[in-house]
Amino acid sequence: MPASPPTSVEERLFSLTLALMASENGLTKADILSTVQGYSRDYRAGGDNSALERKFERDKDAVRELGIPLETIDSPDRPGDNTALRYLIPKRLYDLPSDIEFSPQEIGLLALAAAVWREGSLSDDSRRALLKLSSRGIEASEPLVGYAPRIRVREAAFAPLQAAQTAKIVVSFPYLKPGESTPRRRTVLPLALVQHEGRWHLYAQDIDAGATRTFLLSRIVATVVQRPDVAAPEIDTTGAVERSQAELAAVSLRNRAVIETRPETDAAMRLGRRAASVENDGARVVLHFTDLDILADELAGYGPEVLVHEPPALRAAVHRRLLQVAAQHASAATRQEGADRG
C-alpha cells in the first residue's frame, strides 16, 4: 500500500487550530503530537519525538503570528513542569463580537467566499483526531461541523516544489526578478519551503551558482519541471527551515522604512499593526521589510494615505508605480473620450 503524502504546513496549522479550539480545557504537547494530523503519523509513544516537538514549537509561533490567540496554561497540580503545560485557543477570544451583525447581502458575499474552500465540514482526518481526543476524556466544547474548510496555497509552484523537496530531486523554473523584463531559468535543489511576512519562499541550493538562494514563489512565472538528468548534490538539510527563516529575518532587520500615514485611514490601521515603532501619535510608522518591490506595491495601493520618507529607493519605487497608474488612467480616459465622439 503506497505511503500517504506528507501533510502540508497549511493543513497541519489548520488541524492544530481546530484541535485547540475543540478542547475545552486545553491539550498537552503529548496530546497534540499523538492525535493531531501532521504530527500523529510520525509520533512514537515512549520514543524520541524531539523533531516533532521542534515542529510543534515552530507551528505554535506561526499560529500566533496569524493573530490566533493561542494560550499556555500551567498545570495546577504540576506547576513549572513543561511536560504538563496545556495549550488552548479560547473561543471567546477568537469569535466575532456579539454586537456584529451581517446584512443578507453581506451573508451572500461571505457564502461566496466560503465556496473557494474545498470542504464545508470536518475532514476525515480531523474527525478521527477528535474521536481520539474524546477517547482520552477530552471532549469538544461544541460541534465544529462547518468550521473546517481545507486551507489551500495560492502559488501553483508550491505542490511540485514540495514534492521535489521530499524526493530530493533537482527542478528548474523561470524566475522573474523585479526590474527585469525576461525571466531567467533557475535550476535548484529544494531544501525548504518557508512562510515569511505572509508569503511563501523557497530555500534551495542553486546548481549553477553553487550556493543557497531564496526565491519568492510568486515570482516563479511558469511550470516547475523536475530534472532527473541533473544529479542532486549531497547536502545536509538539517535545520534548513531555521537557516532560511534566520536569513530572511536578518534581511528584514537590515531594511527599514519610515512612512507617514493619514490618521484614521486603512493605511494607518494596517501599517500600524506591524510597525516596529510608531511616532507622532501614530502618524509616522517605522517598518522592517524583506522585499522592497513588494512593499512598494502595497504602499502604492494606499494612494494619498501614505507618504514615504525613507529609504529613497522605496520612495522612488512607490512614485514610479503611482505615475504608471496615472498614465494608465489617462490612456483609458482618452480611449473612452474617442469612443464617445465616435
Side-chain angles (χ1 to χ4, degrees):
M1 182 177 180
S4 58
T7 304
S8 69
V9 176
E10 291 76 22
E11 289 176 309
R12 192 172 69 242
L13 292 179
F14 177 72
S15 296
L16 175 60
T17 302
L18 174 68
L20 295 181
M21 285 181 63
S23 169
E24 189 171 358
N25 299 312
L27 307 175
T28 66
K29 188 181 295 185
D31 291 331
I32 293 167
L33 299 185
S34 62
T35 60
V36 174
Q37 180 190 4
Y39 309 103
S40 57
R41 185 178 68 172
D42 299 320
Y43 179 76
R44 299 291 179 267
D48 181 11
N49 295 296
S50 55
L52 275 182
E53 291 181 5
R54 290 193 297 270
K55 182 187 291 185
F56 167 68
E57 291 301 320
R58 291 194 302 270
D59 290 349
K60 182 179 63 175
D61 293 339
V63 167
R64 286 172 172 156
E65 287 175 4
L66 290 170
I68 299 173
L70 193 159
E71 294 184 351
T72 304
I73 306 171
D74 208 2
S75 174
D77 55 337
R78 294 163 62 185
D81 185 350
N82 288 338
T83 62
L85 287 175
R86 306 186 79 82
Y87 300 91
L88 174 70
I89 295 176
K91 195 169 178 298
R92 68 185 187 281
L93 300 180
Y94 198 42
D95 274 347
L96 287 171
S98 58
D99 58 345
I100 290 182
E101 297 181 356
F102 295 104
S103 69
Q105 292 82 4
E106 290 168 333
I107 291 292
L109 289 173
L110 290 172
L112 183 62
V116 305
W117 299 87
R118 284 203 329 201
E119 293 183 8
S121 59
L122 297 180
S123 68
D124 290 340
D125 289 317
S126 299
R127 290 180 188 277
R128 283 194 291 270
L130 287 178
L131 287 173
K132 287 182 183 178
L133 293 173
S134 297
S135 69
R136 301 177 66 130
I138 303 170
E139 296 295 335
S141 57
E142 62 180 79
L144 289 174
V145 174
Y147 260 75
R150 185 184 297 273
I151 295 176
R152 304 192 72 177
V153 181
R154 290 183 180 179
E155 286 83 1
F158 186 93
L161 289 173
Q162 186 181 51
Q165 175 193 338
T166 302
K168 297 182 180 179
I169 295 175
V170 172
V171 298
S172 65
F173 49 78
Y175 191 75
L176 184 62
K177 294 179 65 175
E180 297 182 356
S181 58
T182 304
R184 185 157 64 93
R185 182 158 291 278
R186 312 301 289 265
T187 303
V188 307
L189 174 66
L191 304 178
L193 286 159
V194 298
Q195 196 174 47
H196 178 73
E197 295 181 348
R199 297 172 183 85
W200 283 102
H201 298 73
L202 169 68
Y203 183 64
Q205 179 74 10
D206 190 310
I207 302 300
D208 297 325
T212 55
R213 295 286 187 267
T214 300
F215 303 92
L216 190 64
L217 262 63
S218 61
R219 292 189 179 136
I220 298 176
V221 295
T223 305
V224 175
V225 179
Q226 292 192 1
R227 294 289 305 275
D229 57 308
V230 179
E234 292 292 333
I235 296 176
D236 183 8
T237 60
T238 305
V241 171
E242 290 80 2
R243 289 197 303 274
S244 176
Q245 290 175 331
E247 290 179 11
L248 288 167
V251 171
S252 178
L253 193 61
R254 288 197 301 268
N255 293 330
R256 178 178 178 273
V258 180
I259 301 160
E260 188 173 337
T261 62
R262 285 188 180 178
E264 300 181 359
T265 61
D266 190 39
M269 179 186 69
R270 292 179 180 274
L271 298 178
R273 284 178 178 173
R274 65 177 198 265
S277 62
V278 179
E279 305 167 357
N280 296 348
D281 294 328
R284 180 176 292 203
V285 298
V286 176
L287 294 175
H288 290 292
F289 63 93
T290 304
D291 191 297
L292 183 142
D293 288 277
I294 287 176
L295 182 57
D297 288 341
E298 178 186 2
L299 296 178
Y302 291 123
E305 295 180 6
V306 299
L307 176 64
V308 180
H309 291 281
E310 300 175 19
L314 177 62
R315 182 182 175 91
V318 173
H319 187 236
R320 284 196 303 272
R321 285 160 173 76
L322 293 175
L323 289 177
Q324 290 171 357
V325 171
Q328 289 169 357
H329 277 279
S331 176
T334 300
R335 290 195 301 271
Q336 184 61 48
E337 184 178 347
D340 293 341
R341 289 176 180 174

